Amino acid sequence: MKKSAAYEQKLLDTLKIAGRIDLSEAMRMLDVSESTVRRLFTGMAGKNGVLRVHGAIQLEGLANSDYRYEQLEGIHSEEKTRIAAAAVQMISDRDVVYLDSGTTIARLSALLAARIRGEKLKVSVFTNSMVNLELLCAETDVNLIGGVYRANRRDFCGYLAEEMVRNIHFSKAFLGTDGFNGQTGFTATDFSTARLNQLVLGQTDCGLILADASKFENSAVVSYTRSRKIDLLITDTGLSEARHRELQSYCARIQTV
């Protein structure tokens, strides 16, 4: 069996268990370069029920969206923890904060819970994330942005969520992102997420995006930052100089940790 065929078979066997494999996981699993994994993903797409999606491959029928919270939670763990540690210091007493769903924002929520407990901070929290609710509800009141529940993201979206956001003013909003496009800015994998993020940015004094540098390797489908610059992007030191220059068009400030 040729080496490429052996690699494809190993990926397919793993897909049958995990349902999805992203670039970094495949590189570690096969001990090959990113370019090799991209070629393998391209070659596998359309065969054996394999779909090529944003930064990954997955099995058909896994979900309508290519995002799955459980499978992303452990990826780039150290970077997410550093980013969240920097972000939690941005929250002040009496802030009214919006916390987006997503794995990096969940790290922020856990650290915020510890700060509230230790420093007796008074913070009003709004979130559309069940994960954030579970992490914070023992320490402070949490206002859940309701709507249609999405199990793959463990969050809520849709008309009711959007209507609630329209009636609230946030001092700070912490958002994630599924990708970045040099022409359209920060992106999400679906219209509902993009629309809600766009509305939140219109209702906040300070909009922050938390994302590890791998998110900027690919663009997701829908932009949500065309109408406003992000006040602060917090990311890790894996950001390339070329991408840093592109991001400056959409961010007032970039902090790497």
Side-chain angles (χ1 to χ4, degrees):
M1 182 182 290
K2 291 183 179 180
K3 186 173 286 188
S4 60
Y7 286 158
E8 286 190 13
Q9 188 59 53
K10 186 170 184 179
L11 290 171
L12 184 60
D13 290 343
T14 303
L15 270 179
K16 290 175 181 177
I17 298 169
R20 175 188 167 104
I21 306 171
D22 76 359
L23 281 168
S24 59
E25 287 177 300
M27 289 166 62
R28 287 194 297 270
M29 183 192 312
L30 303 176
D31 194 24
V32 296
S33 68
E34 180 179 326
S35 61
T36 297
V37 170
R38 289 185 183 277
R39 286 195 297 271
L40 289 167
F41 280 8
T42 300
M44 294 176 69
K47 299 184 296 186
N48 300 305
V50 176
L51 294 176
R52 179 76 191 271
V53 295
H54 161 60
I57 50 174
Q58 69 179 42
L59 292 178
E60 289 180 345
L62 180 65
N64 290 332
S65 167
D66 63 0
Y67 183 107
R68 286 181 67 81
Y69 183 94
E70 293 82 359
Q71 292 179 13
L72 295 177
E73 199 278 331
I75 298 172
H76 302 294
S77 181
E78 292 183 7
E79 292 89 341
K80 290 175 182 178
T81 299
R82 293 201 306 270
I83 291 165
V88 75
Q89 298 305 316
M90 305 292 173
I91 298 175
S92 303
D93 197 45
R94 308 294 175 179
D95 266 344
V96 178
V97 301
Y98 178 86
L99 301 176
D100 185 17
S101 62
T103 56
T104 307
I105 307 296
R107 305 281 176 111
L108 168 62
S109 295
L111 293 175
L112 177 58
R115 276 199 70 196
I116 291 171
R117 183 168 57 250
E119 302 175 27
K120 309 301 181 187
L121 286 182
K122 300 293 184 182
V123 180
S124 297
V125 175
F126 291 81
T127 185
N128 68 326
S129 165
M130 284 296 297
V131 178
N132 297 341
L133 172 67
E134 292 164 359
L135 288 167
L136 283 159
C137 64
E139 305 302 334
T140 188
D141 290 336
V142 179
N143 301 277
L144 186 63
I145 304 291
V148 178
Y149 181 65
R150 302 185 293 185
N152 66 312
R153 283 183 174 266
R154 299 196 64 195
D155 71 2
F156 296 85
C157 69
Y159 176 81
L160 292 177
E162 293 168 13
E163 285 300 298
M164 188 172 179
V165 162
R166 285 189 177 96
N167 291 290
I168 308 166
H169 185 82
F170 310 106
S171 53
K172 297 182 178 78
F174 295 85
L175 306 177
T177 188
D178 295 321
F180 176 79
N181 184 294
Q183 283 69 53
T184 60
F186 296 95
T187 54
T189 57
D190 62 274
F191 291 98
S192 295
T193 300
R195 179 61 178 157
L196 187 60
N197 284 356
Q198 184 179 49
L199 289 171
V200 167
L201 286 173
Q203 297 293 115
T204 187
D205 294 330
C206 181
L208 303 91
I209 286 182
L210 314 185
D212 64 84
S214 72
K215 290 292 183 69
F216 308 126
E217 295 174 0
N218 298 285
S219 171
V221 179
V222 194
S223 171
Y224 61 87
T225 55
R226 292 189 185 206
S227 59
R228 172 181 169 161
K229 263 194 172 186
I230 296 300
D231 295 286
L232 175 63
L233 166 65
I234 305 178
T235 187
D236 63 79
T237 54
L239 194 65
S240 69
E241 290 186 14
R243 189 61 84 190
H244 189 282
R245 288 193 296 271
E246 283 188 315
L247 285 161
Q248 285 179 319
S249 299
Y250 296 92
C251 306
R253 188 160 67 94
I254 299 172
Q255 179 179 345
T256 57
V257 294

